[in-house]
Amino acid sequence: MKLHITKDELINLVKNQSIETVITAFPDMYGRLVGKRFDSNFFITDVLGQGTHACDYLLGSDIDMETIPGYEISSWEKGYGDLHLKLDTNSIRIADWLDKTAIIIGDVEQNHKIVSESPRSILKKQIELAKSKGFQIKLASELEFYVFDNSYQDAKNDSYINMNPSNRFREDYSLLNTTKEESYMSLLRKHLSNSGIEVECTKGEWSLGQQEINVKYSDPLTMADNHSIIKQAAKEIAYQQDMSVTFMSKWDENSAGSSMHIHLSLWDEKGNTNLFFNPSSNSELKISDHFKNFLGGWMKYSPDIFMFYSPYPTSFKRFVSESFAPTKISWSMDNRTSTYRIVGEESSLRIECRIPGADANPYLAFAASIAAGIKGIEEKIDPPKMSKGDSYNNSSLQSCPDNIGKGLKLFEKSKFISDVFGNNVKDHYNHFFSIEKSLYEKAVTDWEKNRYFERI
């Protein structure tokens, strides 16, 4: 399967009128793709070589596009000027779920310099760091989400209260029950495959209407781009079918959370040898020193990077004991109660991080994972003793932060975040997370109204 199309192939598709619209996009702080739609002929003549522009408030606003004071890179004082989008021609794909449309992702610049606070720039910096040390990273993200029979408009009009999951029964691995969603899920698989994303499979997850999609591993930047496109396509295809989907980590207190598990392995600079595997090792797992140190760093700095995995107040409601979401920082072999689950063998040996939720920004989550692991190799950090049995009920293990206040405090005081990402990035995202926290704390919820309105 061809993952991308080349610049010349795009030009030819425009010439023969197979492509009439080209989307230019970049990820914002939420991991959403934002950008413009261009007439394809104008794109080829005036945009492909020069790039395009967008307002810098796209990296300084909230989810409702409200301008937020306190960001260094954009403000009323600075006039909310332009960002320049430098197009990455290695990212061109067909957007098969849209009519005669292609999409190209780029990197944002300001005053002819890469914007270091941009999620894609943050990830690229960590990829380059790994490359400078002779490493390639290969990873994949598993993504869970919920499918509803409500259209987005009906769901919004009803304040997301009377939602109808696309299945009336729990459907984890059930072929009969997942048939009920195949009219939607088969479209998603087909359109993603035709758009150059190598879909492995989809399956039902535990709760009503919950699904998981798995795609083939790749380099981190391609995987992050793929991940964002998957979410975009899933929403737009649902819209076309008068349905809706959500990637909230916890959409309902009585339903299972939705995760974004990261599967990661470390390879040599040519990508030929899995450096996690050591056939000469005396250990039962045949793991290398690189494996131990990468895992050691990842575990040590998990509290520091937790906000990159769990960025919103609702994200933390996923971490419930005996829910398959981790509550303790541990590692073990093929054990879903652990934070870090070791799977595969020989060339497929890899680490699965089970912390991130489906609402995490993939660029930030991948960057944080790589940064922590590389720091572990630099500092020769060994992981703690491998856990066995039920991590949920192991009182000797360090607990994960269970609310955004705790997660944000760890982020704020982290020297690791400052050293690895820089103070500008730390300050930018500390402000971003703090805004989400403060808006949540000001809100009066339906739960509060139902509990107190009449009886207090």
Side-chain angles (χ1 to χ4, degrees), residues 381-441:
I381 301 170
D382 283 333
K385 184 179 178 181
M386 184 172 70
S387 300
K388 294 184 179 180
D390 182 4
S391 291
Y392 290 120
N393 293 305
N394 187 337
S395 59
S396 68
L397 297 173
Q398 180 183 2
S399 294
C400 297
D402 58 5
N403 62 65
I404 193 170
K406 292 179 182 178
L408 188 55
K409 191 171 184 178
L410 290 166
F411 187 88
E412 287 173 342
K413 71 178 186 179
S414 173
K415 184 175 182 298
F416 170 81
I417 297 292
S418 299
D419 291 346
V420 170
F421 298 108
N423 285 325
N424 58 329
V425 170
K426 182 180 180 180
D427 292 344
H428 189 88
Y429 285 93
N430 183 61
H431 188 57
F432 172 70
F433 300 138
S434 298
I435 292 294
E436 292 292 319
K437 177 177 178 289
S438 65
L439 291 173
Y440 172 78
E441 290 172 344

Side-chain angles (χ1 to χ4, degrees), residues 70-340:
Y71 286 109
E72 178 64 27
I73 68 170
S74 67
S75 65
W76 291 112
E77 290 76 16
K78 293 187 175 181
Y80 285 110
D82 270 347
L83 297 170
H84 177 252
L85 181 60
K86 183 179 180 181
L87 300 175
D88 182 352
T89 55
N90 292 319
S91 74
I92 307 171
R93 311 145 193 263
I94 302 296
D96 187 68
W97 67 97
L98 300 172
D99 184 43
K100 295 186 176 182
T101 300
I103 184 169
I104 180 169
I105 299 175
D107 300 297
V108 289
E109 299 177 332
Q110 197 172 48
N111 300 321
H112 305 290
K113 295 180 180 178
I114 287 292
V115 176
S116 59
E117 297 90 341
S118 165
R120 205 168 189 262
S121 301
I122 292 169
L123 175 56
K124 289 178 75 172
K125 180 179 177 181
Q126 296 307 313
I127 294 170
E128 286 301 314
L129 174 65
K131 184 179 178 181
S132 72
K133 296 181 180 299
F135 301 135
Q136 270 196 36
I137 306 289
K138 297 184 182 182
L139 60 75
S141 52
E142 300 175 341
L143 184 57
E144 296 171 350
F145 59 100
Y146 279 83
V147 183
F148 299 95
D149 289 335
N150 313 68
S151 70
Y152 279 114
Q153 189 63 57
D154 288 344
K156 174 67 172 175
N157 289 343
D158 211 12
S159 300
Y160 307 101
I161 295 173
N162 297 314
M163 298 299 293
N164 296 313
S166 57
N167 208 311
R168 305 297 175 255
F169 303 96
R170 291 175 180 171
E171 52 187 316
D172 203 4
Y173 292 97
S174 171
L175 295 177
L176 173 61
N177 284 328
T178 50
T179 299
K180 300 169 186 176
E181 287 119 339
E182 262 300 273
S183 60
Y184 170 76
M185 295 303 296
S186 62
L187 280 177
L188 179 60
R189 291 194 305 270
K190 180 188 77 171
H191 285 307
L192 290 176
S193 294
N194 291 343
S195 302
I197 296 175
E198 295 186 87
V199 177
E200 293 183 354
C201 66
T202 57
K203 63 175 284 291
E205 268 297 328
W206 189 80
S207 282
L208 279 60
Q210 190 178 27
Q211 292 283 324
E212 176 180 294
I213 185 166
N214 296 323
V215 299
K216 189 173 181 180
Y217 69 87
S218 66
D219 66 274
L221 187 62
T222 299
M223 190 66 238
D225 289 345
N226 284 348
H227 188 103
S228 294
I229 289 171
I230 290 167
K231 293 177 77 172
Q232 184 83 7
K235 293 174 185 177
E236 292 181 344
I237 294 168
Y239 172 79
Q240 293 164 358
Q241 301 299 310
D242 288 327
M243 300 174 74
S244 55
V245 300
T246 186
F247 294 94
M248 291 179 68
S249 280
K250 190 80 168 177
W251 90 271
D252 175 73
E253 66 269 22
N254 297 313
S255 301
S258 290
S259 66
M260 182 191 80
H261 297 154
I262 298 174
H263 289 249
L264 184 151
S265 54
L266 185 74
W267 294 67
D268 67 349
E269 59 185 348
K270 294 184 178 180
N272 295 327
T273 303
N274 185 344
L275 300 178
F276 279 172
F277 176 64
N278 179 8
S280 302
S281 172
N282 293 324
S283 71
E284 180 183 352
L285 300 178
K286 299 296 182 184
I287 55 178
S288 68
D289 288 340
H290 281 320
F291 174 98
K292 288 186 285 188
N293 294 155
F294 196 101
L295 176 62
W298 208 349
M299 293 183 71
K300 176 179 178 179
Y301 295 112
S302 290
D304 300 64
I305 61 178
F306 214 88
M307 289 302 302
F308 283 144
Y309 293 150
S310 199
Y312 315 117
T314 311
S315 308
F316 287 83
K317 296 180 180 180
R318 174 173 152 262
F319 301 111
V320 177
S321 183
E322 299 177 356
S323 68
F324 293 102
T327 60
K328 304 288 182 64
I329 298 176
S330 62
W331 74 284
S332 61
M333 188 69 187
D334 194 15
N335 182 336
R336 286 181 169 86
T337 72
S338 290
T339 316
Y340 294 93

Side-chain angles (χ1 to χ4, degrees), residues 50-65:
Q50 294 81 27
T52 185
H53 296 83
C55 180
D56 63 18
Y57 96 129
L58 292 172
L59 290 175
S61 59
D62 74 357
I63 205 164
D64 283 326
M65 312 309 293

